[in-house]
Amino acid sequence: MTTLQLPTFDDVRAAAARLAGHAHRTPVLRSATADERWGASFFFKCENFQRMGAFKFRGAFNALSRFDDRQRKAGAIAFSSGNHAQAVALSARLLGMPALIVMPADAPAAKLAATRAYGAEVVLYDRFTEDREALTWQLATERGMTLIPPYDHPDVITGQGTAALELFEETGPLDRLYVCLGGGGLTSGSALAARALSPQCQVLGVEPEAGNDGQQSLRAGHIVTIPTPQTIADGAQTQHLGKYTFAVIQRDVADIQTVSDAQLVDAMRFFAERMKMVVEPTGCLAFAAACADATLPRGARVGIIVSGGNVDLGRYAALIAGA
Amino acid sequence: MTTLQLPTFDDVRAAAARLAGHAHRTPVLRSATADERWGASFFFKCENFQRMGAFKFRGAFNALSRFDDRQRKAGAIAFSSGNHAQAVALSARLLGMPALIVMPADAPAAKLAATRAYGAEVVLYDRFTEDREALTWQLATERGMTLIPPYDHPDVITGQGTAALELFEETGPLDRLYVCLGGGGLTSGSALAARALSPQCQVLGVEPEAGNDGQQSLRAGHIVTIPTPQTIADGAQTQHLGKYTFAVIQRDVADIQTVSDAQLVDAMRFFAERMKMVVEPTGCLAFAAACADATLPRGARVGIIVSGGNVDLGRYAALIAGA
């Protein structure tokens, strides 16, 4: 068994330098209402205001920035039906290289259109008859393109970590940092930043109840794989952590919590009504967990990563109109 | 006819000093999509993220901060069913003084509750049988309270002007600044800031088509009063400008434009879908006008004041779900 070379905080710093002038430095918002209601001081790092609407731009742009000349010429390939697709497409366009995204033929038309609008070539596959990974590898080999996985890659992890880096630069040390957890790219990157900039800070990953593979993995001490979970948090429907993300999480994350879809909707409504922000279901995981966390000390200084805001408007309207 | 003593940019600077540490310094957001689609460089000053969800906090807090000891003891009184009510209520609470808000008995329950939640006493009146102004003056006299009008007051105007002051501090000179126009407090305050910090900048007020009393006034050269307009922009349903606001607008504002309710809904959807922000209909006026403005030079640097985000969630959901 070979030892993994884990990414470090220096790599997060280097990623921040690559992203300067390309990624937005997103605002850290406060809410007096949230502070009063839940008895803490919340600092919301708003990655829903990031380019293409989610933190995913950071990791993709960082990874593509590190391509050598040969890689740049052939371009990047990714498979994703979510934010990672748009992140790779936009990053490739900004860096002047080709991008090919493998997406399911039945993906929402809006997501296909958005990915194409960023200039990427889209190859469709049939989710029921074709093997996505095999198809992607075949295309990558044929065209000499470099595959950028959505989370389990050191450059993706350290790119995602720049959001927490910026948060700590603005707030100083925090007592807790809640981060949504899908494949673990954002959580592990955030943990690297916290470990260096606020070593006393407890980093907590948050998953949907229906998809608690990360929580199971942390408790089992090895990566646990689950069936694709049913949850409105479509960005956290991953089946398992990656080897890099799991290793960092195992070392640097205090615990993994879960929240229900109903709690996500409550948080989404709070964000809309009180903070005037559109947040996608996955982006509500961190705050929903903090609100329900009985172990949160009164008056704690709490960082919340609001990860993204990409949600179909009609679906969003239905969710916030609610009961 | 006495000459009005108009507020100055020095007064805006003084207001900014009073607001420091009390009002949020709201972020200035960018949108690559908006820049591409409309061929300009937009800078969005996001007052929907201001305390109580709208710029109105700035003017109210500035006005109440200037009370002398006797005024503080008796407190502030206002009549409003909108953002000004909550702005005065919250400012009074923060400054430790009583507040009384006169509101229509049929105001939305959520607005009554929000105003009371900020600690204000609410007195209800019947819109069909009672005279709001007479009632308010009677209560003010009985209790020795100081009336804070929603817009036509130098301290309110200069407080509102601090949003544009912050915008120019962050962006430097701009070519255009679009501002929503109801009673003219925000527009005149913004014009004072632009005149001092970006003298070449054209300041444009924007009204709903159905309520173009400001446009009529500017063209007629005197204040024109109209019946209460029917528009979804409930913050711009004023019937006429004030004497202070009109005098500043006449001197410092280049023109007043109008937009339809349908254009407001389009802008609201753009803000939600592409910028992940909840913006109330009135808060969409400035951007809706800029998008439709055939006189906007290609590549212009354009400031947009996004004035607020206070809108009932159910109503908001219905508006963005749309056709």
Side-chain angles (χ1 to χ4, degrees):
Chain A
M1 182 176 164
T2 54
T3 307
L4 281 181
Q5 182 80 23
L6 294 187
T8 67
F9 180 64
D10 283 344
D11 301 324
V12 178
R13 276 228 182 279
R18 280 178 212 112
L19 286 167
H22 300 286
H24 292 319
R25 190 178 174 103
T26 54
V28 176
L29 296 185
R30 307 294 314 270
S31 165
T33 306
D35 290 0
E36 271 175 41
R37 195 174 296 177
W38 289 285
S41 291
F42 292 101
F43 299 87
F44 298 90
K45 178 64 172 171
C46 295
E47 287 294 298
N48 49 333
F49 302 138
Q50 187 50 267
R51 294 192 76 161
M52 47 69 52
F55 73 96
K56 289 273 183 185
F57 176 71
R58 296 176 182 269
F61 189 90
N62 185 51
L64 269 60
S65 296
R66 301 201 64 197
F67 280 14
D68 63 24
D69 286 347
R70 190 199 56 73
Q71 288 177 301
R72 277 175 194 261
K73 197 157 170 228
I77 184 169
F79 51 85
S80 165
S81 57
N83 288 329
H84 181 59
Q86 292 177 55
V88 171
L90 174 59
S91 299
R93 191 183 68 174
L94 294 172
L95 292 163
M97 65 176 85
L100 192 160
I101 314 291
V102 178
M103 299 180 81
D106 58 349
K111 290 200 171 179
L112 295 175
T115 306
R116 289 194 180 108
Y118 285 127
E121 180 184 351
V122 173
V123 169
L124 301 176
Y125 72 98
D126 183 326
R127 286 198 294 142
F128 304 100
T129 62
E130 290 186 89
D131 178 339
R132 175 178 73 166
E133 297 202 29
L135 173 63
T136 306
W137 276 114
Q138 183 199 323
L139 288 164
T141 308
E142 278 172 19
R143 305 211 193 176
M145 293 180 121
T146 305
L147 177 69
I148 301 300
Y151 52 89
D152 203 30
H153 186 296
D155 296 337
V156 173
I157 291 169
T158 54
Q160 319 304 30
T162 58
L165 164 69
E166 291 174 6
L167 173 64
F168 286 116
E169 280 179 352
E170 197 156 331
T171 62
L174 297 172
D175 300 311
R176 297 244 177 144
L177 178 63
Y178 292 85
V179 189
C180 61
L181 177 65
L186 183 64
T187 301
S188 55
S190 301
L192 293 176
R195 179 187 167 89
L197 298 177
S198 183
Q200 304 306 314
C201 179
Q202 284 195 301
V203 179
L204 297 156
V206 185
E207 291 179 311
E209 256 173 26
N212 72 333
D213 61 284
Q215 189 181 58
Q216 291 183 47
S217 302
L218 194 61
R219 287 168 193 182
H222 60 83
I223 298 173
V224 173
T225 298
I226 61 170
T228 300
Q230 295 296 314
T231 166
I232 59 169
D234 51 2
Q237 284 182 306
T238 39
Q239 295 180 255
H240 56 78
L241 298 176
K243 58 187 190 306
Y244 288 101
T245 60
F246 178 63
V248 175
I249 286 169
Q250 206 176 20
R251 185 188 66 190
D252 293 336
V253 166
D255 199 8
I256 294 175
Q257 302 184 349
T258 64
V259 297
S260 68
D261 280 3
Q263 288 174 294
L264 293 180
V265 172
D266 286 346
M268 191 179 307
R269 290 173 55 88
F270 183 89
F271 281 133
E273 189 156 30
R274 307 306 302 233
M275 296 188 68
K276 318 304 178 189
M277 299 200 296
V278 174
V279 183
E280 62 185 269
T282 310
C284 296
L285 281 164
F287 186 52
C291 295
D293 190 344
T295 74
L296 186 63
R298 214 176 156 74
R301 287 166 52 81
V302 180
I304 302 288
I305 310 262
V306 180
S307 62
N310 289 330
V311 49
D312 172 76
L313 267 199
R315 181 162 168 256
Y316 180 70
L319 286 169
I320 60 169
Chain B
M1 183 178 164
T2 54
T3 307
L4 280 181
Q5 181 80 27
L6 295 187
T8 68
F9 180 63
D10 283 345
D11 300 324
V12 178
R13 277 228 182 279
R18 280 179 211 110
L19 286 167
H22 300 286
H24 292 319
R25 189 179 176 104
T26 54
V28 175
L29 296 187
R30 306 294 314 270
S31 164
T33 305
D35 290 359
E36 271 176 41
R37 194 173 297 177
W38 289 284
S41 292
F42 292 102
F43 299 87
F44 298 90
K45 177 64 172 172
C46 296
E47 287 295 298
N48 49 333
F49 302 139
Q50 188 49 267
R51 294 192 75 161
M52 47 71 51
F55 73 95
K56 290 273 183 185
F57 176 72
R58 296 176 182 266
F61 189 89
N62 184 50
L64 269 62
S65 295
R66 301 200 65 197
F67 281 13
D68 64 24
D69 286 349
R70 190 199 55 74
Q71 287 176 301
R72 277 175 195 261
K73 197 156 171 229
I77 183 169
F79 51 86
S80 166
S81 57
N83 288 330
H84 182 59
Q86 293 177 55
V88 170
L90 174 59
S91 299
R93 191 183 68 175
L94 293 172
L95 292 163
M97 63 176 86
L100 192 160
I101 314 291
V102 178
M103 299 180 82
D106 58 351
K111 291 199 171 178
L112 295 174
T115 307
R116 289 194 180 107
Y118 285 127
E121 180 184 352
V122 172
V123 170
L124 301 175
Y125 73 97
D126 183 325
R127 285 198 295 140
F128 303 99
T129 62
E130 290 185 273
D131 178 338
R132 176 178 74 166
E133 297 202 30
L135 172 64
T136 307
W137 277 113
Q138 182 199 322
L139 288 164
T141 308
E142 279 173 19
R143 305 212 194 173
M145 292 179 123
T146 304
L147 177 68
I148 301 299
Y151 53 87
D152 204 30
H153 186 296
D155 296 337
V156 172
I157 291 169
T158 54
Q160 318 303 32
T162 59
L165 164 69
E166 291 173 6
L167 173 64
F168 286 115
E169 282 178 351
E170 198 155 330
T171 63
L174 296 173
D175 299 310
R176 298 243 176 144
L177 178 63
Y178 292 84
V179 190
C180 61
L181 177 65
L186 184 63
T187 301
S188 55
S190 300
L192 293 176
R195 179 188 167 89
L197 298 177
S198 183
Q200 304 306 314
C201 179
Q202 283 195 300
V203 178
L204 296 157
V206 184
E207 292 178 310
E209 256 173 23
N212 72 333
D213 62 284
Q215 190 181 56
Q216 291 184 47
S217 302
L218 195 61
R219 287 167 192 182
H222 60 84
I223 298 172
V224 173
T225 299
I226 60 170
T228 299
Q230 295 296 314
T231 167
I232 60 170
D234 51 1
Q237 284 182 307
T238 39
Q239 295 179 255
H240 57 79
L241 299 176
K243 58 188 191 303
Y244 288 101
T245 60
F246 178 64
V248 174
I249 286 169
Q250 206 175 20
R251 187 188 65 190
D252 293 336
V253 167
D255 199 8
I256 295 175
Q257 303 184 348
T258 65
V259 295
S260 68
D261 281 4
Q263 288 174 293
L264 293 179
V265 172
D266 285 345
M268 190 179 305
R269 289 173 55 90
F270 182 88
F271 280 133
E273 191 158 28
R274 306 306 303 233
M275 296 188 66
K276 319 305 178 189
M277 300 200 294
V278 175
V279 184
E280 63 185 270
T282 309
C284 295
L285 282 164
F287 186 52
C291 295
D293 190 345
T295 75
L296 186 63
R298 214 176 157 73
R301 289 167 50 82
V302 180
I304 301 287
I305 310 261
V306 179
S307 62
N310 290 330
V311 49
D312 173 76
L313 265 201
R315 183 163 166 256
Y316 180 69
L319 286 169
I320 61 168

